[in-house]
Amino acid sequence: MTIKVKNPIVEMDGDEMARIMWTMIKEKLLFPFLDLNLKYFDLGIKHRDDTEDRVTVEAAHAIKEIGVGVKCATITPNADRVKEYGLKKQWQSPNGTIRSLLDGTVFRKPIILKNIPPAIRNWKQPIHIGRHAYGDLYKSVEHVVGPGTAEIVFTPREGTDPVRIKIHDFEGSGVVMGIHNTEASIRSFAKACINYALFEKIDIWFATKDTISKKYQGFFRDIFAEEINNRMADIENSGLSYRYLLIDDAVAQVIKSRGGMLWACTNYDGDLMSDMVAAGFGSLGLMTSVLVSPDGKYEFEAAHGTVMRHYYEHCKGNPTSTNSMASIFAWTGAIAKRGELDGSPEVTQFARTLEEAVINTAEKGVLTKDLMLIAEPKVDKYALTEEFLDCVAENLRLSLAA
Ligand code: NAP
Ligand code: MG
């Protein structure tokens, strides 16, 4: 007897070791138990190249239409990859393409295991990171200059004369950068953070450096505060709170905290802090990620990449011990969300049961190498990629039978 999932899920296949695990997850943990209707897009690098990357855009549109997607890690080609795979060009990052089409915010949350103590002793609950994924350093223009004057010039579309602001009079050589952000993007970031925190029932922290950058970072603080005020009744009725901090204070407070909050980060802060938090909780293989659009579309994935080094070993015929937990949780996130949107509690329940089977397997000491090295109590042997998944499947069968 399989459980029927009413509406489709957009599936985006990927590359290398992540793709190998992806297939195993479907065959061992999903297809035997669920009657799934998958709208499949092959985002593997060859197929992106063959379709001039149209497949990525089609997949993003399918998520917009269907509401729920799940994505395997994919190669973002650089010059080496173009050579390695004989590509026509360095295609854009698929995640970047999908993010900009959905106008989404990325949230990351680590999986917590009893036998994997975090690097920070007092972290008891996951620290969720919400990263504003538009603008600032990531849409900057830069210029190396000689002696001379650098200015910012703003030309209004109509009316008044251009505004000129001097950046610096250079006596020798130096470098300048121009960055920007938009009110609309900051507002949708704040809205997505509030929706996410209400859904996860966690407090919201937001931090900038507005003491130094009174206008730029102050703009973020003010817009974020306005959106919070618009939803204050919901936040308070859920027993949650909002806390604004200076970014340097936030870093210290997060380290001293028990966790259990959404840390809303500007683009650059989120880039750094999500890697720090992932490492602090044990492994990239434990970090889950979801892209949430302002109109409530969801794309789930693991935060890690294609685990290329393990794939090269796999291609040589060597056994690998790659952690599939975050990829499994990408699937359970998508399946649980589908069940919720479809009003199918048995589907959501299946996803939760699978998550418990994963956690029980790991907590019994069946661990891939990345976790075995940091487990407490120690385990003396690590599980291979496929062995771990077989143990999860066995535990899942037992829980479903009970
Ligand atoms: P990566 O695939 O995340 O792997 C970096 C290293 O982290 C691995 O070599 C491995 O360390 C460890 N690791 C990551 N995930 C693991 C897992 N599930 N289990 C065990 N160990 C794990 O990053 P990368 O090597 O920098 O990038 C490889 C490719 O992935 C690139 O082409 C990049 O474009 C792509 N990428 C895609 C995404 C995405 O689609 N979301 C994100 C990031 C990168 P050891 O080798 O020491 O065991
Ligand atoms: Mg980063």
Side-chain angles (χ1 to χ4, degrees):
M1 258 299 277
T2 53
I3 302 166
K4 171 110 188 108
V5 182
K6 283 185 207 149
N7 284 301
I9 292 174
V10 178
E11 178 195 357
M12 287 152 284
D13 212 337
D15 289 300
E16 301 190 318
M17 200 62 210
R19 186 178 178 111
I20 308 269
M21 293 196 288
W22 199 252
T23 305
M24 288 185 195
I25 292 168
K26 286 189 286 181
E27 283 173 1
K28 292 177 192 289
L29 304 178
L30 304 178
F31 292 162
F33 309 101
L34 289 180
D35 178 3
L36 275 167
N37 172 0
L38 297 173
K39 217 163 162 12
Y40 179 86
F41 293 86
D42 184 358
L43 265 54
I45 188 65
K46 266 322 263 175
H47 194 240
R48 272 182 282 146
D49 197 52
D50 289 344
T51 60
E52 313 272 317
D53 208 22
R54 274 190 308 276
V55 65
T56 308
V57 175
E58 284 164 12
H61 284 296
I63 300 171
K64 274 186 150 176
E65 187 196 321
I66 288 171
V68 183
V70 59
K71 180 179 168 293
C72 178
T74 46
I75 290 170
T76 298
N78 55 18
D80 293 341
R81 298 301 211 154
V82 168
K83 242 201 245 149
E84 180 181 1
Y85 286 90
L87 307 177
K88 293 174 199 152
K89 64 181 244 195
Q90 288 187 29
W91 302 106
Q92 293 278 314
S93 149
N95 287 35
T97 303
I98 296 167
R99 212 182 290 146
S100 62
L101 285 168
L102 291 178
D103 181 24
T105 301
V106 176
F107 296 95
R108 286 181 164 194
K109 171 189 180 182
I111 302 164
I112 304 274
L113 300 171
K114 282 201 205 91
N115 51 342
I116 305 298
I120 308 296
R121 259 176 298 158
N122 42 283
W123 285 358
K124 301 292 179 210
Q125 302 289 326
I127 294 167
H128 307 238
I129 300 264
R131 174 179 170 193
H132 183 210
Y134 176 82
D136 304 346
L137 194 59
Y138 305 83
K139 280 245 185 278
S140 63
V141 291
E142 312 176 313
H143 196 54
V144 174
V145 298
T149 300
E151 293 179 315
I152 295 175
V153 180
F154 176 74
T155 312
R157 189 160 296 160
E158 52 202 34
T160 51
D161 292 335
V163 183
R164 309 182 85 89
I165 304 164
K166 184 160 83 184
I167 299 173
H168 192 64
D169 280 321
F170 286 89
E171 296 301 331
S173 73
V175 64
V176 293
M177 175 192 281
I179 61 172
H180 80 280
N181 223 298
T182 68
E183 182 179 334
S185 175
I186 300 167
R187 275 196 201 286
S188 51
F189 167 62
K191 286 192 177 112
C193 286
I194 296 164
N195 286 335
Y196 180 90
L198 288 170
F199 177 73
E200 292 277 345
K201 299 189 177 53
I202 49 179
D203 295 335
I204 306 173
W205 292 18
F206 181 54
T208 69
K209 192 73 181 177
D210 65 308
T211 44
I212 299 298
S213 165
K214 292 186 167 52
K215 286 189 182 161
Y216 196 99
Q217 303 248 319
F219 193 81
F220 278 80
R221 180 202 57 209
D222 294 345
I223 300 290
F224 209 99
E226 276 177 35
E227 291 298 329
I228 291 280
N229 280 334
N230 291 340
R231 297 293 297 279
M232 205 32 127
D234 294 333
I235 294 171
E236 283 176 352
N237 288 339
S238 308
L240 305 177
S241 66
Y242 172 65
R243 186 171 180 195
Y244 176 79
L245 307 98
L246 271 178
I247 186 66
D248 35 357
D249 188 24
V251 171
Q253 296 299 328
V254 162
I255 296 293
K256 289 195 287 182
S257 77
R258 299 184 79 254
M261 79 293 274
L262 168 65
W263 186 6
C265 290
T266 56
N267 208 347
Y268 180 70
D269 294 347
D271 187 353
L272 276 59
M273 295 309 153
S274 58
D275 286 346
M276 186 198 70
V277 168
F281 277 104
S283 165
L284 259 178
L286 292 178
M287 198 54 141
T288 67
S289 179
V290 58
L291 175 73
V292 184
S293 79
D295 56 345
K297 315 291 180 195
Y298 293 79
E299 184 218 23
F300 295 85
E301 62 168 349
H304 62 75
T306 63
V307 211
M308 176 183 78
R309 279 198 290 274
H310 295 210
Y311 179 66
Y312 291 161
E313 289 305 313
H314 171 84
C315 292
K316 285 189 235 158
N318 294 330
T320 59
S321 177
T322 316
N323 188 341
S324 53
M325 294 176 79
S327 297
I328 301 172
F329 273 64
W331 277 103
T332 55
I335 292 164
K337 180 53 80 178
R338 186 72 274 172
E340 183 197 318
L341 296 176
D342 293 354
S344 310
E346 70 288 2
V347 170
T348 303
Q349 186 50 48
F350 170 83
R352 298 303 170 225
T353 307
L354 173 50
E355 288 175 355
E356 281 161 26
V358 171
I359 289 172
N360 287 339
T361 303
E363 290 187 343
K364 277 188 209 144
V366 180
L367 296 168
T368 43
K369 199 171 177 181
D370 54 322
L371 297 181
M372 176 231 178
L373 299 170
I374 52 171
E376 255 170 45
K378 294 258 170 285
V379 292
D380 44 12
K381 146 173 186 297
Y382 58 80
L384 300 178
T385 310
E386 190 158 12
E387 285 171 352
F388 178 78
L389 283 159
D390 286 333
C391 280
V392 173
E394 183 57 32
N395 280 329
L396 176 61
R397 275 208 177 77
L398 291 173
S399 338
L400 289 172

